[in-house]
Each structure stands twice: as C-alpha cells, then as structure tokens.
Amino acid sequence: MEPGSVWKTLKRRSSGEAQVINMYTLRKNKNPWGLYQTEIPHSRLCDAANGVSPAEKLTTEHLQLLRNAFSCPKAAPQIHEDRPKGSSGRNRGNEEHGMKFQEFREVLRSVIGPDVEDTWVERFFGEVDISCTGQVKWQQLCSYLLLEYTERERASIPRAALLVSQPQIKHCSHNKREPTVRVVAVSHPPPLRYISVSKGGQITVWNSSLHILKTLRLAGDPTEEVANTRRFRGWTTDAVSMGNVRKVAIATDCRDLHFVNVSTGNVFEDVHLFGFRSVPTALCYWHDAQCPERPSLLLLGDEKGGVHLMWFLNPSKGLFKNVAIKENDPQRIFFPDLGEHSNMVSYRHIPNIHQEPINRVMFEPSANVIMTSSESDTTSVVFMNVTLKQEPYIWRFKQGAKCFDYNASLQLMVTGGCDRAVRLWTRFVTTRPVATLLGHRTTVLDVAIYQPVGQIFSYSRDTELKVWDISSHHCLKTVCLQFPCKQPGRIPEHGNFPFLLLSPPLPEQTQAHLVVGCKDHLAVLYLAETRRGGGGRLTDEGREPGPNHQSGPALCCALYNSPLRQVVTGHADSSVSLWDVETGRRRLQILNAHGEDELTCMTLDSSHRRLITGARNGTIKVWNLLNGLNLHKLEPVTSSEVTGLTCLHDTQLLSVGWSQRVAQYDIAAAKDLYVRADMSWKSSGVHKSDILAVCQCAALGVVATASHDGEVIIWRLETQGPVLHLQRPTQAGPLTPVDSLLFLQHRAGNRKLRNRGVLVSSQAGCLCFWSVTGQTHTYGQFYVPEQPGERVLSLSSDQLKNTTLVTGDTAGWLEIWDICHYALDIQHEPVCERPPLLQRWKAHERALVSVEVLEVADRLFVLTASADGSAGLWTKDGDHVGSFGQEKMWSISEPATYQRTTRNTLKEDTKKMTESDEKGLSRVKSKVPGPTSRGQTSQEECCSEASPTSLAETDHDRPQQHTVTRKHTISG
C-alpha cells in the first residue's frame, strides 16, 4: 500500500477534528437540514443524445390537455375492472386515474403531435414512473415536472467565479508579524510581479507564483547620519502602482510619499516627498494608456477629508525636476517647495469633502469624476467633478462606508462598512440602494466588482469571503479563508486594503485571480473568466485518448445498473457520472452532488431507477438516474461520514457510518424533499467503533455490519436487532478494520448450502468465510495479496452461481478465485488453503476501491474503479475492454474494439504464488513466525482460528445464560 495514502477504511477521527454533531442536537436546534442549506448547489450535465427534455417541450396548453386526459371519464372502466365487486362508487371516484405506457403514448401523440418519437415517450414515461409500477398518474407527472422546472430555474443561477474553495496561501515572512497594508500588481515590464507593503514599511517583491524575489525597507530620517540607524519609524497607510512610470507610490502617517522604482530587478526608493499638511490615507493613480503623452494624475485622500491632486505634466521624462543627490540616496523634496517643480507637476487641494478621514479614492476619467468614501453619516460616498462646476452626488447612510467599488460600464457602485451590509447603488440615485445584501457577521473590509461574470466579492474581518450575483442579488458562495494566523475566539488583524483583483484583460498566460491579505499572509483565489451556469449539456471537452485514461479525481465507489445497462461512478470531488456500459459513453454527470464534501458511498434502490449517495459530512441524497433530479435529502444522523448504504427489497434504506448506529429511511413512501431518519434499529451501543461496511442478504433475512475494530455483527431484519457477533482475533498489536463484506446470495438461497460459508469479510488482506446460521461459524480464510501489508478493499461474485470470487487490493491487483467447492465442508478447524486462482492481473496503478462482476450480452465482465481516478471494464479472462471516459468508444459485442491490454496473466505468477502458499503453510504448521513478518499481515497470520461469539458472550451488562445463543440462532 502506498505510504501516506488514505483509504476509505483508514479515515479515522483524530482528537483535533471538529466535534461531531448528532441528529438529536440538530433536531433540538430546529434545523436538521442545515448541512444541505449551506452546501454548494449541485449541477447536472445531460447527454445531448437524450433529446429535448419534457419540461422544454411541454407548453401550458399541453399540460392542460394532459390534465383533461387524466381526468377523462371514458378511462374509468379500464381503471377499475380488476376491483372487487364490493368496492363503493365513492372510493372509485376518489382514486386517481393511472395510464399505462400504451395509453400514455397515444395521449402524448394527440396532445403534442403524431410525430413524437417512441424512444422519447418511453424515456419520459420511465422518468415519471420512478418506482416501476407500470403506470403514470397525474400527481406523479406534476411532481416530476415541478422538480424539473425547479431544477432548471436553479440551474439558471450562475455558479460562483471562484474555481477553488481554499486558496493558495503564502506567508510574508519579512513583515515581522505586521499586517500587509496593500498589494499591488506590476505587469510592466513583464513578467507579472506583486509588491506587498507592510504596515511597518517592509516592501516585498513576489513573482507570479508568489515566491519572494526581493525585499526592501523604506528609508528613515536622513538626519540620522549613521546609515544603520536610519530606520523607518512610522506606519504606511496605502500604496498604488504607477504603471506608466514603473514606480510604486507609498503613503505613510509621517505625512509623506515614497516613490519606489520597480523598473528593474533592482528595486530602490527613487523620490521622497515629505512635509504634507495632513496624513495621506488613500491613493489612486490614473494615466492614459492610449496616449502616453497626456498628463497622469495622482490622487491623495487625507485624514481631514480633503483630496490632493497631483498632475504629472510630462511623465515620460520624469515626475519631478532632477537635482544633484548623494549616490544611493533618494531625491528628497519638501512639499512646500513643490512650486520649484511647476514645469513637471501641477498641484491642487480640495478640502473638507468629508468630515472623517477618506478611506477610498477612485477616479473616473470618462466623466472626469473623483470618487471618495469615509465612515461619515453625512458624507459616506461623494462623487464630484474635478472642475467643481457641478453639484456633487452625496450618498448618506448610517456608519458610512468602510470601502466601495465602482464600475462605469455597469453604472454600479457597491459599498461595505461597519454595519455588515453590502449595498448596491446606481450611479445617479443617492437616496436608496438597489439592494442590500445581508449575511456578513462582522465589519465588511473590502468589496470588488468582477464584471466578466457579473459578480461581487465582499470580505469581512472574520476572514469570510462572499460571492454575490449582481442580477439576482443571491449569495452564490461563502468561503471562510483558513489563514494560519487565525486564532480561536480572536479576530485577525488586517491592513486597510485587503483586496487585489486582477481581471481581464490580462497579460498572456495570466489567469484572473483575487489576492486577499490577512495580517502577514496572502491568499490567491483563481477565478473563472466566463459566466458559468448550474447545468447544461455534456461535451467531449477534456476527454483523453488511450487505455490509461484517468478521469482526474479519485474514485470512491462504482456500481453496475443492469436494467439500464449503465455504470455509475462516484468521485472524491463529489461528482457522479453515468456511463453506457456497451460503449463507454457518458450519459449524465452530476457535479457537487454533496457540495464540496467528498462522496463516500452509494447504492441503488430495488427498482434500479434511484441512486442513493452518502458523503463525508453525513448527508444522504436520492437521485433519479434517468435525468439526474435530486428526489430526496435524508436527515443526517450525525455530521460525520456515511460509510455504507444498502437498500432492502421494500425500498427501505439502511445507512451506517461513524455514528456507530444503523439508521433507516422510507424512500418509497416519501413525498417530500426532506425525509426523516427512523432510529428504531436497536443499534445504540452495539458497535464500539465506527461502522465501515454493510451488506444484506434477503434470503436469510439478515444484514451484516463491520466496524473499525474488526467486529462483524449480524442483524435480523424482522427484529431490527443483533443476533450474532463475529471477530477474527489477530496477533498482538492494534485491531485491524474490516474493509469489505459480501454475502454469497446463491449459497444463501440454497437450502443445502445456506448453513455453510455464505458471508465473506476482508480484514488486513485476509478473507474470512462465515456461516451465520449453522453451528460452526468459521469455514475458511486465506490471505489474498501477493505482498504482505496490502489490503483487500473490494469483493464481488457472480451472484447467480457463486462459482467465482473477485478481489481488488490496495496495490491495484485484481484476482479471480474459483470458490465452487470452497468453504462448503464443515471443518473442525478453519481451512487456510487458498481456493484455485483463475486469473490475476494489475488493473490499476493505485488501490481498487470497487470491483463488480456483471453480465452483458450473455458474457461476464469485471468492473473496476480505482483511487487513481479511472474506472475500467475487463473480460473475465483479463482482456481490457476500455476505460470509461476514453476518447475511443467500444462496442461490447465486438471484441475487436477492445483495448486488449491485459496487464499480467496468471501464468506468470502461478509458480511464485504456489511457492508462497507452501512456505506460508509450513510456517503455520511450525507456528514460528519469521522475524521479517512482524507488523505485516500474511498467510500465516490469516490462519489464526476465528472466534464467533453470541450476543450474550459480549454483553457484560447482562447475566450469562446458556439459552441466549439458541434464542438468537437464525433458522436455516
């Protein structure tokens, strides 16, 4: 097994993890569905070959005609012809008319038109008749259409522009724990660089990958003649990039400006302008990129609410008049002497715009408007013309604005402040906002308009980043950025300007992104540059050629749906894909099925029309496999991982997981979106460790569960209680978890074989065969992997005959064993010999998380899914049919289209395997383990005698009674 890999059996809670919330706590808080309401909405991508959906084709007139057809009296005799004679007319009148397929097809032809295709009608009928009753009722049709319309409306809401939830975070180690006041981007000369300025005057130059290139500290008071004592002793207040002159201007509370030259790799301070009458608190710079000869403008907002305008008349020749200075020293200019540079710079001061310090300043060149904000109630935001010949626009609201952003093309302004509200304003209406967006719990520190996708970013003091849709005013996503400097119960320190948004147009090979600063850390979140919807059609984009195609995120499970002839794969990134087994074509994809929480397990209902998925956060969902609609959301038992699901024949669902309990859900009778959990199973305190696997056997009326401490418990379906405890003792050391369970259904249904080895468990690479009804419970065990220390995570068998057993291990090897005669004879000691090995090959490079034997076109195949991100289909002889998602399709009935790349054949390994078995058995007989086998599971350890115990033998709270074992015996 690969070191550092995390398999599903080893996902254990550590003491440092968040506290698990149980179902009763969720109910007590009156919101057991909170986990669903805060997750990212899912989206579905359908195959275009499926044609137009019924929701798109049916009009209002069509629906009215369909309703009339369902209530048509002429159909009444057909409905009740099978009803007993004693049934009353009143009851018949109250019952809803149902249509069978033929009648439904004729009605659709009469309503829509005679050219309606039979395949489309058949698919429509199947999507509505999700329970496979053979008929469709008007109420069912309405429920289906309502779900479809709701899904389409939800899909029209765009997805947040953030491409990842948790960003790349870098530490500004040279800041000396001081916050970063501002980060600016310098793209000229290429390549793109970032320059961060700390509160204490530390300047750090970063490359585009956020690796430090150079550091510099602002110069101190020149009157300190000793060079090493000339240290900057103030606080910086803001910084701005002056792209056309290759400089960065930095304002400080010493009432000065520092101009830093960034034109070369050798960053240095160029000019020091000092002696302002007030402290500059906010900066803005503008230049005309189309006409470099035009004067550029530097705006300074100050602590007294005024604005300073500095027009640089000939920026290509310099900002100020050059004078003779000492080598390596910046040019120092006393602000009152600025008139001596009148041929280079023009200065103007507009006082008393605000009654509070200005915290933001912007310039709109097309309208020649200066925009400023402050935390003043009477002058929160002010738009004023540079000429002062027009009345300014003044926005007034309580507690003023801590930040704002403006977009000229959208004529939209966004503000945020201490009242935790984000407000949207139009350009010329100052009295009332267009919308007030609520949701932040602390002061909003920064806002930014991201025009390419029509979204707004807002960021608050508690490091919470929200993404809002401009048109709908919906919050699309909330991310709590996990900065390392955050401490429980404390609000981290921030600079005045946390955001740097880089949006198109951008330099080549530069992706749009948002940089967020928190104390001495920087986070980078990459952004989508086009608007992304919540659904759509599948495309071939991203498909890769070749047999070794990997679909990207690791798979956690896969299963085969025989009636639909589809393979379903579940991925760690919470996506689900449906594939046509006959061609390998993807038919449906559901993204973010459980938000951003990892999908951990899934199963099919008894009709094979519904898919049930479970996730790491305890949520469980039911899906329509024909169209990807989310039918139900099931009440979480705890906020911890769901590890196993199984659906009984009456469509009662059982779920197990880290809750250590068995929960039941009635998904057949459920009519609402949300379904409550039924905790009637007597499972409290039975398992002492997390449950990792579950398997049911309808023929015996039992369910088996297995936990992390290696215990297997058999439960009777009728009583919903435990009847048998099974556990294989191991050598001294930690208990090993049970990775997988499998009932051999053919044996269990055969009266002659049901008392033999019908249950297979996998533990530390060793397979144990158990009887759950006979007097002897252990029928055989053997170690599967070739190398010690590997595990078997997946088991399968041809359930119609149970002649073969398929295993998949953590090294990616697949084995097929002949178990026709294995574990059928009663033994006084458990059998340790292996059954005959029919085939063995390396199916994947990493662990096999799922294997399943399936029959298609009267031939047996093996489905595999791996942690390497790929799912494959193989013949029983080891020929590779292909990998799902590969570029070239296959035809299941034409072997010439197979990849035919068998990895390893049995012949290469037979001799080595036989020698290994003989050595293992000889060590067992001598009972002397080799010194190299300590800490590793192998054949000799696997042959330790298993020890089944009845419920009474493990329950210390009850008196020991000899009748308990008989009482709980399952009849054969």
Side-chain angles (χ1 to χ4, degrees), residues 723-756:
V723 294
L724 186 65
H725 289 239
L726 305 169
Q727 188 156 21
R728 184 181 69 87
T730 58
Q731 294 182 356
L735 295 173
T736 55
V738 176
D739 297 314
S740 184
L741 291 173
L742 177 70
F743 271 110
L744 303 177
Q745 303 291 351
H746 172 72
R747 289 189 183 184
N750 188 314
R751 287 190 172 275
K752 296 181 179 180
L753 303 177
R754 65 194 319 173
N755 291 331
R756 304 297 190 260

Short mmCIF file of all heavy atoms in Angstrom, two decimals, residues 723-756:
data_model
loop_
_atom_site.label_atom_id
_atom_site.label_comp_id
_atom_site.label_asym_id
_atom_site.label_seq_id
_atom_site.Cartn_x
_atom_site.Cartn_y
_atom_site.Cartn_z
N VAL A 723 -27.99 -10.42 16.35
CA VAL A 723 -28.16 -11.81 16.73
C VAL A 723 -26.83 -12.56 16.82
O VAL A 723 -26.78 -13.63 17.42
CB VAL A 723 -29.08 -12.56 15.74
CG1 VAL A 723 -30.49 -12.01 15.82
CG2 VAL A 723 -28.54 -12.47 14.32
N LEU A 724 -25.77 -12.02 16.25
CA LEU A 724 -24.52 -12.77 16.23
C LEU A 724 -23.35 -11.81 16.09
O LEU A 724 -23.41 -10.85 15.32
CB LEU A 724 -24.52 -13.76 15.04
CG LEU A 724 -23.35 -14.73 14.94
CD1 LEU A 724 -23.34 -15.69 16.12
CD2 LEU A 724 -23.41 -15.49 13.62
N HIS A 725 -22.29 -12.05 16.88
CA HIS A 725 -21.06 -11.28 16.80
C HIS A 725 -19.96 -12.20 16.28
O HIS A 725 -19.77 -13.31 16.78
CB HIS A 725 -20.66 -10.75 18.18
CG HIS A 725 -21.55 -9.66 18.68
ND1 HIS A 725 -21.09 -8.41 19.00
CD2 HIS A 725 -22.89 -9.63 18.90
CE1 HIS A 725 -22.09 -7.66 19.42
NE2 HIS A 725 -23.19 -8.39 19.37
N LEU A 726 -19.22 -11.74 15.29
CA LEU A 726 -18.12 -12.50 14.71
C LEU A 726 -16.87 -11.63 14.74
O LEU A 726 -16.92 -10.45 14.42
CB LEU A 726 -18.43 -12.90 13.26
CG LEU A 726 -19.72 -13.68 13.00
CD1 LEU A 726 -20.00 -13.77 11.51
CD2 LEU A 726 -19.63 -15.08 13.60
N GLN A 727 -15.73 -12.25 15.09
CA GLN A 727 -14.48 -11.49 15.10
C GLN A 727 -13.31 -12.44 14.96
O GLN A 727 -13.27 -13.49 15.59
CB GLN A 727 -14.34 -10.66 16.37
CG GLN A 727 -13.16 -9.70 16.33
CD GLN A 727 -13.34 -8.53 17.27
OE1 GLN A 727 -14.12 -8.59 18.20
NE2 GLN A 727 -12.61 -7.44 17.02
N ARG A 728 -12.39 -12.06 14.11
CA ARG A 728 -11.19 -12.86 13.90
C ARG A 728 -10.06 -12.27 14.73
O ARG A 728 -9.60 -11.16 14.48
CB ARG A 728 -10.78 -12.83 12.42
CG ARG A 728 -9.58 -13.71 12.09
CD ARG A 728 -9.23 -13.60 10.62
NE ARG A 728 -8.70 -12.29 10.29
CZ ARG A 728 -7.41 -11.95 10.40
NH1 ARG A 728 -6.53 -12.84 10.83
NH2 ARG A 728 -7.00 -10.75 10.06
N PRO A 729 -9.60 -13.01 15.76
CA PRO A 729 -8.52 -12.47 16.60
C PRO A 729 -7.23 -12.41 15.80
O PRO A 729 -6.95 -13.26 14.97
CB PRO A 729 -8.43 -13.47 17.75
CG PRO A 729 -8.97 -14.75 17.19
CD PRO A 729 -10.04 -14.35 16.22
N THR A 730 -6.45 -11.37 16.08
CA THR A 730 -5.16 -11.20 15.42
C THR A 730 -4.05 -11.29 16.44
O THR A 730 -4.28 -11.35 17.64
CB THR A 730 -5.10 -9.84 14.71
OG1 THR A 730 -5.32 -8.81 15.70
CG2 THR A 730 -6.18 -9.74 13.64
N GLN A 731 -2.81 -11.31 15.93
CA GLN A 731 -1.66 -11.34 16.82
C GLN A 731 -1.57 -10.03 17.58
O GLN A 731 -2.28 -9.07 17.29
CB GLN A 731 -0.38 -11.58 16.01
CG GLN A 731 -0.35 -12.96 15.37
CD GLN A 731 0.94 -13.19 14.61
OE1 GLN A 731 1.77 -12.31 14.51
NE2 GLN A 731 1.10 -14.39 14.08
N ALA A 732 -0.72 -9.98 18.55
CA ALA A 732 -0.58 -8.79 19.39
C ALA A 732 -0.35 -7.56 18.51
O ALA A 732 0.45 -7.58 17.59
CB ALA A 732 0.57 -8.97 20.37
N GLY A 733 -1.06 -6.53 18.82
CA GLY A 733 -0.96 -5.31 18.04
C GLY A 733 -2.32 -4.65 17.91
O GLY A 733 -3.32 -5.15 18.46
N PRO A 734 -2.39 -3.54 17.21
CA PRO A 734 -3.68 -2.84 17.07
C PRO A 734 -4.68 -3.67 16.26
O PRO A 734 -4.31 -4.44 15.38
CB PRO A 734 -3.30 -1.55 16.33
CG PRO A 734 -2.02 -1.89 15.61
CD PRO A 734 -1.31 -2.87 16.49
N LEU A 735 -5.95 -3.51 16.59
CA LEU A 735 -7.00 -4.20 15.85
C LEU A 735 -7.08 -3.63 14.44
O LEU A 735 -6.94 -2.43 14.22
CB LEU A 735 -8.34 -4.02 16.56
CG LEU A 735 -8.45 -4.66 17.96
CD1 LEU A 735 -9.76 -4.28 18.61
CD2 LEU A 735 -8.33 -6.17 17.86
N THR A 736 -7.31 -4.52 13.48
CA THR A 736 -7.39 -4.09 12.08
C THR A 736 -8.84 -3.98 11.65
O THR A 736 -9.68 -4.79 12.04
CB THR A 736 -6.66 -5.08 11.17
OG1 THR A 736 -7.19 -6.39 11.40
CG2 THR A 736 -5.17 -5.07 11.46
N PRO A 737 -9.18 -3.00 10.84
CA PRO A 737 -10.57 -2.81 10.43
C PRO A 737 -11.01 -3.81 9.38
O PRO A 737 -10.19 -4.38 8.65
CB PRO A 737 -10.56 -1.39 9.85
CG PRO A 737 -9.17 -1.18 9.38
CD PRO A 737 -8.29 -1.94 10.33
N VAL A 738 -12.30 -4.03 9.33
CA VAL A 738 -12.90 -4.82 8.25
C VAL A 738 -13.14 -3.88 7.07
O VAL A 738 -13.85 -2.89 7.19
CB VAL A 738 -14.22 -5.48 8.70
CG1 VAL A 738 -14.85 -6.23 7.53
CG2 VAL A 738 -13.96 -6.44 9.85
N ASP A 739 -12.56 -4.23 5.93
CA ASP A 739 -12.62 -3.34 4.77
C ASP A 739 -13.86 -3.56 3.92
O ASP A 739 -14.35 -2.62 3.29
CB ASP A 739 -11.38 -3.54 3.90
CG ASP A 739 -10.10 -3.18 4.64
OD1 ASP A 739 -10.09 -2.12 5.29
OD2 ASP A 739 -9.13 -3.96 4.58
N SER A 740 -14.36 -4.80 3.86
CA SER A 740 -15.46 -5.08 2.95
C SER A 740 -16.22 -6.32 3.42
O SER A 740 -15.66 -7.18 4.10
CB SER A 740 -14.93 -5.29 1.52
OG SER A 740 -15.97 -5.47 0.61
N LEU A 741 -17.50 -6.38 3.04
CA LEU A 741 -18.36 -7.53 3.32
C LEU A 741 -19.07 -7.95 2.04
O LEU A 741 -19.41 -7.11 1.20
CB LEU A 741 -19.42 -7.18 4.38
CG LEU A 741 -18.95 -6.92 5.81
CD1 LEU A 741 -20.12 -6.43 6.65
CD2 LEU A 741 -18.34 -8.18 6.43
N LEU A 742 -19.31 -9.25 1.91
CA LEU A 742 -20.04 -9.76 0.74
C LEU A 742 -20.81 -11.02 1.12
O LEU A 742 -20.22 -11.98 1.63
CB LEU A 742 -19.06 -10.09 -0.41
CG LEU A 742 -19.69 -10.70 -1.66
CD1 LEU A 742 -20.54 -9.66 -2.40
CD2 LEU A 742 -18.62 -11.27 -2.59
N PHE A 743 -22.12 -11.00 0.89
CA PHE A 743 -22.93 -12.20 1.03
C PHE A 743 -22.95 -12.94 -0.31
O PHE A 743 -23.14 -12.32 -1.37
CB PHE A 743 -24.37 -11.85 1.41
CG PHE A 743 -24.60 -11.77 2.90
CD1 PHE A 743 -24.83 -10.56 3.51
CD2 PHE A 743 -24.57 -12.92 3.68
CE1 PHE A 743 -25.04 -10.47 4.88
CE2 PHE A 743 -24.78 -12.85 5.06
CZ PHE A 743 -25.00 -11.62 5.65
N LEU A 744 -22.75 -14.26 -0.27
CA LEU A 744 -22.86 -15.10 -1.46
C LEU A 744 -24.33 -15.49 -1.59
O LEU A 744 -24.82 -16.41 -0.94
CB LEU A 744 -21.96 -16.32 -1.33
CG LEU A 744 -20.47 -16.00 -1.10
CD1 LEU A 744 -19.66 -17.28 -0.90
CD2 LEU A 744 -19.90 -15.17 -2.26
N GLN A 745 -25.06 -14.74 -2.41
CA GLN A 745 -26.52 -14.81 -2.43
C GLN A 745 -27.05 -16.15 -2.93
O GLN A 745 -28.07 -16.66 -2.43
CB GLN A 745 -27.09 -13.67 -3.30
CG GLN A 745 -26.66 -12.27 -2.87
CD GLN A 745 -27.26 -11.85 -1.55
OE1 GLN A 745 -28.15 -12.51 -1.00
NE2 GLN A 745 -26.81 -10.72 -1.00
N HIS A 746 -26.37 -16.76 -3.90
CA HIS A 746 -26.83 -18.07 -4.40
C HIS A 746 -26.74 -19.11 -3.29
O HIS A 746 -27.67 -19.91 -3.10
CB HIS A 746 -26.00 -18.49 -5.61
CG HIS A 746 -26.27 -19.90 -6.06
ND1 HIS A 746 -27.44 -20.27 -6.69
CD2 HIS A 746 -25.53 -21.04 -5.93
CE1 HIS A 746 -27.41 -21.56 -6.95
NE2 HIS A 746 -26.26 -22.06 -6.50
N ARG A 747 -25.64 -19.14 -2.57
CA ARG A 747 -25.49 -20.10 -1.46
C ARG A 747 -26.56 -19.84 -0.40
O ARG A 747 -27.15 -20.78 0.14
CB ARG A 747 -24.11 -19.96 -0.83
CG ARG A 747 -22.98 -20.48 -1.70
CD ARG A 747 -21.68 -20.51 -0.90
NE ARG A 747 -20.54 -20.94 -1.72
CZ ARG A 747 -19.32 -21.13 -1.25
NH1 ARG A 747 -19.08 -20.92 0.05
NH2 ARG A 747 -18.34 -21.51 -2.05
N ALA A 748 -26.81 -18.58 -0.08
CA ALA A 748 -27.77 -18.26 0.96
C ALA A 748 -29.18 -18.68 0.57
O ALA A 748 -30.00 -19.02 1.43
CB ALA A 748 -27.73 -16.76 1.26
N GLY A 749 -29.47 -18.68 -0.73
CA GLY A 749 -30.81 -19.07 -1.19
C GLY A 749 -30.97 -20.55 -1.39
O GLY A 749 -32.09 -21.02 -1.66
N ASN A 750 -29.88 -21.31 -1.29
CA ASN A 750 -29.93 -22.76 -1.47
C ASN A 750 -30.00 -23.43 -0.09
O ASN A 750 -29.12 -23.24 0.74
CB ASN A 750 -28.67 -23.22 -2.22
CG ASN A 750 -28.73 -24.67 -2.62
OD1 ASN A 750 -29.10 -25.54 -1.82
ND2 ASN A 750 -28.37 -24.96 -3.87
N ARG A 751 -31.06 -24.20 0.14
CA ARG A 751 -31.25 -24.80 1.46
C ARG A 751 -30.11 -25.74 1.85
O ARG A 751 -29.85 -25.95 3.03
CB ARG A 751 -32.58 -25.57 1.49
CG ARG A 751 -33.79 -24.65 1.54
CD ARG A 751 -35.07 -25.42 1.80
NE ARG A 751 -36.19 -24.52 2.02
CZ ARG A 751 -36.49 -23.97 3.19
NH1 ARG A 751 -35.74 -24.24 4.25
NH2 ARG A 751 -37.53 -23.18 3.32
N LYS A 752 -29.44 -26.33 0.87
CA LYS A 752 -28.35 -27.24 1.17
C LYS A 752 -27.05 -26.50 1.52
O LYS A 752 -26.17 -27.07 2.16
CB LYS A 752 -28.10 -28.18 -0.02
CG LYS A 752 -29.26 -29.11 -0.32
CD LYS A 752 -28.93 -30.01 -1.49
CE LYS A 752 -30.10 -30.97 -1.80
NZ LYS A 752 -29.78 -31.87 -2.95
N LEU A 753 -26.95 -25.25 1.06
CA LEU A 753 -25.69 -24.53 1.22
C LEU A 753 -25.77 -23.36 2.18
O LEU A 753 -24.75 -22.80 2.57
CB LEU A 753 -25.21 -24.01 -0.15
CG LEU A 753 -25.01 -25.04 -1.25
CD1 LEU A 753 -24.61 -24.35 -2.55
CD2 LEU A 753 -23.96 -26.06 -0.85
N ARG A 754 -26.99 -22.98 2.60
CA ARG A 754 -27.14 -21.75 3.36
C ARG A 754 -26.50 -21.83 4.76
O ARG A 754 -26.25 -20.80 5.38
CB ARG A 754 -28.60 -21.38 3.48
CG ARG A 754 -29.45 -22.35 4.28
CD ARG A 754 -30.94 -22.12 4.10
NE ARG A 754 -31.31 -20.71 4.08
CZ ARG A 754 -32.54 -20.28 3.80
NH1 ARG A 754 -33.49 -21.17 3.49
NH2 ARG A 754 -32.81 -19.01 3.82
N ASN A 755 -26.24 -23.05 5.26
CA ASN A 755 -25.58 -23.17 6.56
C ASN A 755 -24.06 -23.20 6.45
O ASN A 755 -23.38 -23.35 7.46
CB ASN A 755 -26.06 -24.43 7.28
CG ASN A 755 -27.51 -24.31 7.70
OD1 ASN A 755 -28.00 -23.21 7.94
ND2 ASN A 755 -28.21 -25.44 7.79
N ARG A 756 -23.55 -23.09 5.24
CA ARG A 756 -22.10 -23.12 5.02
C ARG A 756 -21.56 -21.68 4.98
O ARG A 756 -22.19 -20.75 5.44
CB ARG A 756 -21.80 -23.87 3.72
CG ARG A 756 -22.37 -25.27 3.67
CD ARG A 756 -21.77 -26.18 4.75
NE ARG A 756 -22.14 -27.58 4.56
CZ ARG A 756 -23.09 -28.19 5.22
NH1 ARG A 756 -23.80 -27.53 6.12
NH2 ARG A 756 -23.36 -29.47 5.00
#
